[in-house]
Amino acid sequence: PACGQAPLSPSVLQGNSAKEGSWPWQASLHWKGQYLCGGSLINSNWVLTAAICFNGSSTIASQWTVYLGRQTQLGMNPHEVTRGVQTIILYPYTSYIFYDNIALLKLSSPVNFTDYIQPICLADVNSSFHNCTSCWVTGWANMTDNTALSGNKTLQQVQLPIIENTDCVDQIYKIYNFPYVTDKMICAGVIQNNISSCMGDSGDPLVCQQDSLWIQAGIVAVDNTVQRKGRVGRALQQGVFSKVSRYQSFLQSNVGPTLPLINPNTVVTTTPTPSSAPSLGHTVLLLAVLSLLLTT
């Protein structure tokens, strides 16, 4: 298919700093010149991201800029292209930030695909990701701790195992008495009480590989720039993502027939071996919600 291809990705992904061209769908979203969120290119005209990126900032499309083919936030990016934003489409969620946290950006003009700029495939509505499927989150957040990236702020990557939703619901409920993980979410990482670890930025993609094909399974919902407190906040500090496959109708109705959906027979089932499984320090993507959702 004409999606999910990373021609320059190394055969073995290692370390936290990504090699240039490893994740060619990664987008960098800037509001009034400031980096704010991640996203993923899904065709030549559209970027997928999180709706929270536009909460408390702006839904005025002309104030946003999208960078594709970017490797570092500082310094030269010779393979980068820049586009303005023509339209911002937010999912009409009813529960504010955490639920239905998905949005689309239509670019001001189409981009040409190169080895450094490629669209990601999206999981079909019938797809499933089995327990322990090895997936990756990428973005410009520090994936090992809560400090800011140093140096040129190179694109980061972290490996996470998928947690089946039934297990995710059970584990979060047992620890936090929080029953609100739904089938419109996908879990990845490690669920454990009172741990502190890596962080992604809102809108960053959770992607999984089948053979040479990369498929987006989830979207980082909320990062740690929002205050966490109370039982709900602690529960949502686990790796819970917006589940892309559950939003096929929303995506198709806006993007149209060029949406790069993956046929359900191409379900990702790869299970990492113990030697390749991520360590605890690199497996938990901490999420948060606005204080409106965090009261006990």
PDB file of all heavy atoms in Angstrom, residues 193-227:
ATOM      1  N   ASN A 193       1.107   1.136  40.049  1.00  0.00           N
ATOM      2  CA  ASN A 193       0.816   2.256  40.937  1.00  0.00           C
ATOM      3  C   ASN A 193       2.072   3.053  41.260  1.00  0.00           C
ATOM      4  O   ASN A 193       3.161   2.497  41.413  1.00  0.00           O
ATOM      5  CB  ASN A 193       0.205   1.725  42.240  1.00  0.00           C
ATOM      6  CG  ASN A 193      -0.532   2.810  43.000  1.00  0.00           C
ATOM      7  OD1 ASN A 193      -0.610   3.955  42.560  1.00  0.00           O
ATOM      8  ND2 ASN A 193      -1.066   2.441  44.147  1.00  0.00           N
ATOM      9  N   ASN A 194       1.924   4.371  41.327  1.00  0.00           N
ATOM     10  CA  ASN A 194       2.974   5.271  41.828  1.00  0.00           C
ATOM     11  C   ASN A 194       4.291   5.147  41.081  1.00  0.00           C
ATOM     12  O   ASN A 194       5.348   4.955  41.672  1.00  0.00           O
ATOM     13  CB  ASN A 194       3.200   5.024  43.324  1.00  0.00           C
ATOM     14  CG  ASN A 194       1.960   5.332  44.126  1.00  0.00           C
ATOM     15  OD1 ASN A 194       1.231   6.285  43.820  1.00  0.00           O
ATOM     16  ND2 ASN A 194       1.695   4.533  45.137  1.00  0.00           N
ATOM     17  N   ILE A 195       4.233   5.209  39.760  1.00  0.00           N
ATOM     18  CA  ILE A 195       5.467   5.202  38.986  1.00  0.00           C
ATOM     19  C   ILE A 195       5.550   6.480  38.172  1.00  0.00           C
ATOM     20  O   ILE A 195       4.546   7.114  37.876  1.00  0.00           O
ATOM     21  CB  ILE A 195       5.558   3.971  38.058  1.00  0.00           C
ATOM     22  CG1 ILE A 195       4.290   3.825  37.221  1.00  0.00           C
ATOM     23  CG2 ILE A 195       5.782   2.719  38.844  1.00  0.00           C
ATOM     24  CD1 ILE A 195       4.344   2.646  36.288  1.00  0.00           C
ATOM     25  N   SER A 196       6.768   6.860  37.830  1.00  0.00           N
ATOM     26  CA  SER A 196       6.978   8.077  37.052  1.00  0.00           C
ATOM     27  C   SER A 196       7.955   7.764  35.935  1.00  0.00           C
ATOM     28  O   SER A 196       9.026   7.224  36.180  1.00  0.00           O
ATOM     29  CB  SER A 196       7.549   9.182  37.941  1.00  0.00           C
ATOM     30  OG  SER A 196       7.840  10.324  37.202  1.00  0.00           O
ATOM     31  N   SER A 197       7.574   8.072  34.711  1.00  0.00           N
ATOM     32  CA  SER A 197       8.452   7.718  33.606  1.00  0.00           C
ATOM     33  C   SER A 197       8.222   8.626  32.421  1.00  0.00           C
ATOM     34  O   SER A 197       7.935   9.798  32.576  1.00  0.00           O
ATOM     35  CB  SER A 197       8.243   6.244  33.246  1.00  0.00           C
ATOM     36  OG  SER A 197       9.196   5.830  32.311  1.00  0.00           O
ATOM     37  N   CYS A 198       8.273   8.056  31.209  1.00  0.00           N
ATOM     38  CA  CYS A 198       8.377   8.856  30.001  1.00  0.00           C
ATOM     39  C   CYS A 198       7.065   9.538  29.628  1.00  0.00           C
ATOM     40  O   CYS A 198       6.003   9.193  30.089  1.00  0.00           O
ATOM     41  CB  CYS A 198       8.844   7.974  28.852  1.00  0.00           C
ATOM     42  SG  CYS A 198       7.768   6.582  28.541  1.00  0.00           S
ATOM     43  N   MET A 199       7.166  10.485  28.744  1.00  0.00           N
ATOM     44  CA  MET A 199       6.080  11.364  28.396  1.00  0.00           C
ATOM     45  C   MET A 199       6.078  11.558  26.898  1.00  0.00           C
ATOM     46  O   MET A 199       7.109  11.725  26.300  1.00  0.00           O
ATOM     47  CB  MET A 199       6.397  12.696  29.044  1.00  0.00           C
ATOM     48  CG  MET A 199       5.366  13.540  29.604  1.00  0.00           C
ATOM     49  SD  MET A 199       4.087  12.866  30.553  1.00  0.00           S
ATOM     50  CE  MET A 199       4.821  12.697  32.106  1.00  0.00           C
ATOM     51  N   GLY A 200       4.938  11.553  26.298  1.00  0.00           N
ATOM     52  CA  GLY A 200       4.832  11.970  24.907  1.00  0.00           C
ATOM     53  C   GLY A 200       4.102  13.300  24.855  1.00  0.00           C
ATOM     54  O   GLY A 200       3.553  13.745  25.850  1.00  0.00           O
ATOM     55  N   ASP A 201       4.116  13.936  23.721  1.00  0.00           N
ATOM     56  CA  ASP A 201       3.349  15.157  23.538  1.00  0.00           C
ATOM     57  C   ASP A 201       1.997  14.820  22.930  1.00  0.00           C
ATOM     58  O   ASP A 201       1.869  13.892  22.133  1.00  0.00           O
ATOM     59  CB  ASP A 201       4.091  16.126  22.622  1.00  0.00           C
ATOM     60  CG  ASP A 201       5.251  16.807  23.321  1.00  0.00           C
ATOM     61  OD1 ASP A 201       5.140  17.046  24.529  1.00  0.00           O
ATOM     62  OD2 ASP A 201       6.262  17.078  22.665  1.00  0.00           O
ATOM     63  N   SER A 202       0.986  15.594  23.286  1.00  0.00           N
ATOM     64  CA  SER A 202      -0.337  15.380  22.710  1.00  0.00           C
ATOM     65  C   SER A 202      -0.246  15.342  21.185  1.00  0.00           C
ATOM     66  O   SER A 202       0.455  16.139  20.568  1.00  0.00           O
ATOM     67  CB  SER A 202      -1.271  16.511  23.133  1.00  0.00           C
ATOM     68  OG  SER A 202      -1.442  16.522  24.529  1.00  0.00           O
ATOM     69  N   GLY A 203      -0.964  14.394  20.588  1.00  0.00           N
ATOM     70  CA  GLY A 203      -0.981  14.253  19.140  1.00  0.00           C
ATOM     71  C   GLY A 203       0.051  13.314  18.573  1.00  0.00           C
ATOM     72  O   GLY A 203      -0.048  12.914  17.400  1.00  0.00           O
ATOM     73  N   ASP A 204       1.053  12.940  19.366  1.00  0.00           N
ATOM     74  CA  ASP A 204       2.084  12.030  18.860  1.00  0.00           C
ATOM     75  C   ASP A 204       1.475  10.667  18.511  1.00  0.00           C
ATOM     76  O   ASP A 204       0.558  10.200  19.191  1.00  0.00           O
ATOM     77  CB  ASP A 204       3.187  11.837  19.900  1.00  0.00           C
ATOM     78  CG  ASP A 204       4.161  13.002  19.949  1.00  0.00           C
ATOM     79  OD1 ASP A 204       4.261  13.734  18.949  1.00  0.00           O
ATOM     80  OD2 ASP A 204       4.817  13.186  20.993  1.00  0.00           O
ATOM     81  N   PRO A 205       1.986  10.005  17.472  1.00  0.00           N
ATOM     82  CA  PRO A 205       1.421   8.723  17.056  1.00  0.00           C
ATOM     83  C   PRO A 205       1.996   7.533  17.825  1.00  0.00           C
ATOM     84  O   PRO A 205       3.178   7.507  18.162  1.00  0.00           O
ATOM     85  CB  PRO A 205       1.810   8.635  15.578  1.00  0.00           C
ATOM     86  CG  PRO A 205       3.090   9.415  15.488  1.00  0.00           C
ATOM     87  CD  PRO A 205       2.968  10.531  16.497  1.00  0.00           C
ATOM     88  N   LEU A 206       1.134   6.542  18.074  1.00  0.00           N
ATOM     89  CA  LEU A 206       1.523   5.211  18.532  1.00  0.00           C
ATOM     90  C   LEU A 206       1.415   4.304  17.313  1.00  0.00           C
ATOM     91  O   LEU A 206       0.314   4.125  16.770  1.00  0.00           O
ATOM     92  CB  LEU A 206       0.595   4.726  19.641  1.00  0.00           C
ATOM     93  CG  LEU A 206       0.744   3.260  20.075  1.00  0.00           C
ATOM     94  CD1 LEU A 206       2.047   3.060  20.853  1.00  0.00           C
ATOM     95  CD2 LEU A 206      -0.451   2.814  20.900  1.00  0.00           C
ATOM     96  N   VAL A 207       2.540   3.759  16.836  1.00  0.00           N
ATOM     97  CA  VAL A 207       2.552   2.984  15.599  1.00  0.00           C
ATOM     98  C   VAL A 207       3.109   1.588  15.847  1.00  0.00           C
ATOM     99  O   VAL A 207       3.974   1.386  16.704  1.00  0.00           O
ATOM    100  CB  VAL A 207       3.354   3.699  14.487  1.00  0.00           C
ATOM    101  CG1 VAL A 207       2.730   5.049  14.158  1.00  0.00           C
ATOM    102  CG2 VAL A 207       4.819   3.872  14.875  1.00  0.00           C
ATOM    103  N   CYS A 208       2.612   0.623  15.070  1.00  0.00           N
ATOM    104  CA  CYS A 208       3.033  -0.770  15.188  1.00  0.00           C
ATOM    105  C   CYS A 208       3.416  -1.277  13.796  1.00  0.00           C
ATOM    106  O   CYS A 208       2.853  -0.832  12.792  1.00  0.00           O
ATOM    107  CB  CYS A 208       1.903  -1.627  15.750  1.00  0.00           C
ATOM    108  SG  CYS A 208       1.122  -0.946  17.244  1.00  0.00           S
ATOM    109  N   GLN A 209       4.343  -2.219  13.750  1.00  0.00           N
ATOM    110  CA  GLN A 209       4.886  -2.682  12.467  1.00  0.00           C
ATOM    111  C   GLN A 209       4.436  -4.093  12.159  1.00  0.00           C
ATOM    112  O   GLN A 209       4.449  -4.974  13.027  1.00  0.00           O
ATOM    113  CB  GLN A 209       6.409  -2.612  12.479  1.00  0.00           C
ATOM    114  CG  GLN A 209       7.039  -2.918  11.114  1.00  0.00           C
ATOM    115  CD  GLN A 209       8.557  -2.811  11.146  1.00  0.00           C
ATOM    116  OE1 GLN A 209       9.180  -3.016  12.194  1.00  0.00           O
ATOM    117  NE2 GLN A 209       9.154  -2.494  10.018  1.00  0.00           N
ATOM    118  N   GLN A 210       4.042  -4.317  10.912  1.00  0.00           N
ATOM    119  CA  GLN A 210       3.859  -5.665  10.389  1.00  0.00           C
ATOM    120  C   GLN A 210       4.735  -5.803   9.162  1.00  0.00           C
ATOM    121  O   GLN A 210       4.510  -5.116   8.168  1.00  0.00           O
ATOM    122  CB  GLN A 210       2.407  -5.925  10.016  1.00  0.00           C
ATOM    123  CG  GLN A 210       2.234  -7.316   9.406  1.00  0.00           C
ATOM    124  CD  GLN A 210       0.801  -7.587   9.038  1.00  0.00           C
ATOM    125  OE1 GLN A 210      -0.012  -7.841   9.912  1.00  0.00           O
ATOM    126  NE2 GLN A 210       0.482  -7.524   7.758  1.00  0.00           N
ATOM    127  N   ASP A 211       5.736  -6.669   9.255  1.00  0.00           N
ATOM    128  CA  ASP A 211       6.734  -6.787   8.195  1.00  0.00           C
ATOM    129  C   ASP A 211       7.337  -5.401   7.940  1.00  0.00           C
ATOM    130  O   ASP A 211       7.863  -4.807   8.848  1.00  0.00           O
ATOM    131  CB  ASP A 211       6.119  -7.410   6.937  1.00  0.00           C
ATOM    132  CG  ASP A 211       5.568  -8.803   7.201  1.00  0.00           C
ATOM    133  OD1 ASP A 211       6.198  -9.541   7.981  1.00  0.00           O
ATOM    134  OD2 ASP A 211       4.505  -9.142   6.656  1.00  0.00           O
ATOM    135  N   SER A 212       7.217  -4.866   6.728  1.00  0.00           N
ATOM    136  CA  SER A 212       7.793  -3.548   6.462  1.00  0.00           C
ATOM    137  C   SER A 212       6.748  -2.439   6.561  1.00  0.00           C
ATOM    138  O   SER A 212       7.042  -1.273   6.272  1.00  0.00           O
ATOM    139  CB  SER A 212       8.420  -3.523   5.063  1.00  0.00           C
ATOM    140  OG  SER A 212       7.426  -3.766   4.082  1.00  0.00           O
ATOM    141  N   LEU A 213       5.539  -2.776   6.969  1.00  0.00           N
ATOM    142  CA  LEU A 213       4.429  -1.833   6.985  1.00  0.00           C
ATOM    143  C   LEU A 213       4.178  -1.294   8.390  1.00  0.00           C
ATOM    144  O   LEU A 213       4.086  -2.062   9.350  1.00  0.00           O
ATOM    145  CB  LEU A 213       3.167  -2.536   6.474  1.00  0.00           C
ATOM    146  CG  LEU A 213       1.941  -1.675   6.218  1.00  0.00           C
ATOM    147  CD1 LEU A 213       2.173  -0.771   5.013  1.00  0.00           C
ATOM    148  CD2 LEU A 213       0.725  -2.569   5.980  1.00  0.00           C
ATOM    149  N   TRP A 214       4.043   0.037   8.511  1.00  0.00           N
ATOM    150  CA  TRP A 214       3.753   0.669   9.790  1.00  0.00           C
ATOM    151  C   TRP A 214       2.300   1.143   9.814  1.00  0.00           C
ATOM    152  O   TRP A 214       1.809   1.725   8.846  1.00  0.00           O
ATOM    153  CB  TRP A 214       4.688   1.844  10.025  1.00  0.00           C
ATOM    154  CG  TRP A 214       6.095   1.432  10.344  1.00  0.00           C
ATOM    155  CD1 TRP A 214       7.121   1.290   9.454  1.00  0.00           C
ATOM    156  CD2 TRP A 214       6.616   1.098  11.626  1.00  0.00           C
ATOM    157  NE1 TRP A 214       8.261   0.887  10.116  1.00  0.00           N
ATOM    158  CE2 TRP A 214       7.973   0.760  11.451  1.00  0.00           C
ATOM    159  CE3 TRP A 214       6.070   1.045  12.912  1.00  0.00           C
ATOM    160  CZ2 TRP A 214       8.796   0.383  12.507  1.00  0.00           C
ATOM    161  CZ3 TRP A 214       6.877   0.675  13.964  1.00  0.00           C
ATOM    162  CH2 TRP A 214       8.235   0.340  13.760  1.00  0.00           C
ATOM    163  N   ILE A 215       1.626   0.878  10.930  1.00  0.00           N
ATOM    164  CA  ILE A 215       0.207   1.171  11.089  1.00  0.00           C
ATOM    165  C   ILE A 215       0.012   1.971  12.366  1.00  0.00           C
ATOM    166  O   ILE A 215       0.518   1.593  13.435  1.00  0.00           O
ATOM    167  CB  ILE A 215      -0.613  -0.134  11.166  1.00  0.00           C
ATOM    168  CG1 ILE A 215      -0.340  -1.012   9.938  1.00  0.00           C
ATOM    169  CG2 ILE A 215      -2.110   0.167  11.295  1.00  0.00           C
ATOM    170  CD1 ILE A 215      -0.829  -2.443  10.081  1.00  0.00           C
ATOM    171  N   GLN A 216      -0.738   3.063  12.287  1.00  0.00           N
ATOM    172  CA  GLN A 216      -1.003   3.854  13.489  1.00  0.00           C
ATOM    173  C   GLN A 216      -2.172   3.255  14.257  1.00  0.00           C
ATOM    174  O   GLN A 216      -3.284   3.142  13.741  1.00  0.00           O
ATOM    175  CB  GLN A 216      -1.285   5.315  13.146  1.00  0.00           C
ATOM    176  CG  GLN A 216      -1.451   6.172  14.405  1.00  0.00           C
ATOM    177  CD  GLN A 216      -1.443   7.658  14.139  1.00  0.00           C
ATOM    178  OE1 GLN A 216      -1.185   8.091  13.013  1.00  0.00           O
ATOM    179  NE2 GLN A 216      -1.714   8.445  15.166  1.00  0.00           N
ATOM    180  N   ALA A 217      -1.911   2.927  15.514  1.00  0.00           N
ATOM    181  CA  ALA A 217      -2.926   2.343  16.384  1.00  0.00           C
ATOM    182  C   ALA A 217      -3.550   3.369  17.312  1.00  0.00           C
ATOM    183  O   ALA A 217      -4.724   3.253  17.681  1.00  0.00           O
ATOM    184  CB  ALA A 217      -2.311   1.211  17.211  1.00  0.00           C
ATOM    185  N   GLY A 218      -2.751   4.365  17.741  1.00  0.00           N
ATOM    186  CA  GLY A 218      -3.254   5.299  18.746  1.00  0.00           C
ATOM    187  C   GLY A 218      -2.662   6.684  18.610  1.00  0.00           C
ATOM    188  O   GLY A 218      -1.739   6.930  17.819  1.00  0.00           O
ATOM    189  N   ILE A 219      -3.227   7.596  19.402  1.00  0.00           N
ATOM    190  CA  ILE A 219      -2.783   8.987  19.455  1.00  0.00           C
ATOM    191  C   ILE A 219      -2.562   9.349  20.917  1.00  0.00           C
ATOM    192  O   ILE A 219      -3.440   9.096  21.761  1.00  0.00           O
ATOM    193  CB  ILE A 219      -3.846   9.941  18.876  1.00  0.00           C
ATOM    194  CG1 ILE A 219      -4.207   9.556  17.442  1.00  0.00           C
ATOM    195  CG2 ILE A 219      -3.372  11.387  18.933  1.00  0.00           C
ATOM    196  CD1 ILE A 219      -5.458  10.257  16.947  1.00  0.00           C
ATOM    197  N   VAL A 220      -1.409   9.933  21.236  1.00  0.00           N
ATOM    198  CA  VAL A 220      -1.189  10.417  22.597  1.00  0.00           C
ATOM    199  C   VAL A 220      -2.260  11.458  22.902  1.00  0.00           C
ATOM    200  O   VAL A 220      -2.410  12.441  22.175  1.00  0.00           O
ATOM    201  CB  VAL A 220       0.216  11.033  22.756  1.00  0.00           C
ATOM    202  CG1 VAL A 220       0.370  11.656  24.142  1.00  0.00           C
ATOM    203  CG2 VAL A 220       1.293   9.972  22.532  1.00  0.00           C
ATOM    204  N   ALA A 221      -2.994  11.222  23.979  1.00  0.00           N
ATOM    205  CA  ALA A 221      -4.135  12.087  24.271  1.00  0.00           C
ATOM    206  C   ALA A 221      -3.710  13.364  24.990  1.00  0.00           C
ATOM    207  O   ALA A 221      -3.909  14.462  24.496  1.00  0.00           O
ATOM    208  CB  ALA A 221      -5.178  11.328  25.092  1.00  0.00           C
ATOM    209  N   VAL A 222      -3.105  13.220  26.159  1.00  0.00           N
ATOM    210  CA  VAL A 222      -2.781  14.389  26.978  1.00  0.00           C
ATOM    211  C   VAL A 222      -1.407  14.197  27.581  1.00  0.00           C
ATOM    212  O   VAL A 222      -1.089  13.141  28.097  1.00  0.00           O
ATOM    213  CB  VAL A 222      -3.812  14.589  28.106  1.00  0.00           C
ATOM    214  CG1 VAL A 222      -3.556  15.888  28.852  1.00  0.00           C
ATOM    215  CG2 VAL A 222      -5.220  14.584  27.548  1.00  0.00           C
ATOM    216  N   ASP A 223      -0.570  15.248  27.536  1.00  0.00           N
ATOM    217  CA  ASP A 223       0.773  15.133  28.093  1.00  0.00           C
ATOM    218  C   ASP A 223       0.815  15.681  29.511  1.00  0.00           C
ATOM    219  O   ASP A 223      -0.191  16.022  30.100  1.00  0.00           O
ATOM    220  CB  ASP A 223       1.808  15.810  27.190  1.00  0.00           C
ATOM    221  CG  ASP A 223       1.535  17.298  27.010  1.00  0.00           C
ATOM    222  OD1 ASP A 223       1.009  17.915  27.948  1.00  0.00           O
ATOM    223  OD2 ASP A 223       1.866  17.828  25.939  1.00  0.00           O
ATOM    224  N   ASN A 224       2.015  15.790  30.079  1.00  0.00           N
ATOM    225  CA  ASN A 224       2.130  16.159  31.492  1.00  0.00           C
ATOM    226  C   ASN A 224       2.220  17.655  31.723  1.00  0.00           C
ATOM    227  O   ASN A 224       2.555  18.100  32.803  1.00  0.00           O
ATOM    228  CB  ASN A 224       3.357  15.484  32.127  1.00  0.00           C
ATOM    229  CG  ASN A 224       4.655  16.136  31.683  1.00  0.00           C
ATOM    230  OD1 ASN A 224       4.786  16.553  30.549  1.00  0.00           O
ATOM    231  ND2 ASN A 224       5.597  16.200  32.581  1.00  0.00           N
ATOM    232  N   THR A 225       1.884  18.452  30.700  1.00  0.00           N
ATOM    233  CA  THR A 225       1.849  19.888  30.944  1.00  0.00           C
ATOM    234  C   THR A 225       0.583  20.283  31.687  1.00  0.00           C
ATOM    235  O   THR A 225       0.445  21.407  32.141  1.00  0.00           O
ATOM    236  CB  THR A 225       1.907  20.657  29.616  1.00  0.00           C
ATOM    237  OG1 THR A 225       0.778  20.280  28.812  1.00  0.00           O
ATOM    238  CG2 THR A 225       3.189  20.362  28.870  1.00  0.00           C
ATOM    239  N   VAL A 226      -0.348  19.336  31.819  1.00  0.00           N
ATOM    240  CA  VAL A 226      -1.585  19.575  32.548  1.00  0.00           C
ATOM    241  C   VAL A 226      -1.452  18.969  33.935  1.00  0.00           C
ATOM    242  O   VAL A 226      -0.921  17.889  34.109  1.00  0.00           O
ATOM    243  CB  VAL A 226      -2.774  18.938  31.803  1.00  0.00           C
ATOM    244  CG1 VAL A 226      -4.079  19.287  32.494  1.00  0.00           C
ATOM    245  CG2 VAL A 226      -2.799  19.402  30.363  1.00  0.00           C
ATOM    246  N   GLN A 227      -1.953  19.658  34.922  1.00  0.00           N
ATOM    247  CA  GLN A 227      -1.793  19.217  36.308  1.00  0.00           C
ATOM    248  C   GLN A 227      -2.488  17.883  36.536  1.00  0.00           C
ATOM    249  O   GLN A 227      -3.584  17.649  36.059  1.00  0.00           O
ATOM    250  CB  GLN A 227      -2.388  20.264  37.256  1.00  0.00           C
ATOM    251  CG  GLN A 227      -2.153  19.964  38.730  1.00  0.00           C
ATOM    252  CD  GLN A 227      -2.752  21.038  39.621  1.00  0.00           C
ATOM    253  OE1 GLN A 227      -3.486  21.887  39.147  1.00  0.00           O
ATOM    254  NE2 GLN A 227      -2.443  20.978  40.885  1.00  0.00           N
TER     255      GLN A 227
END
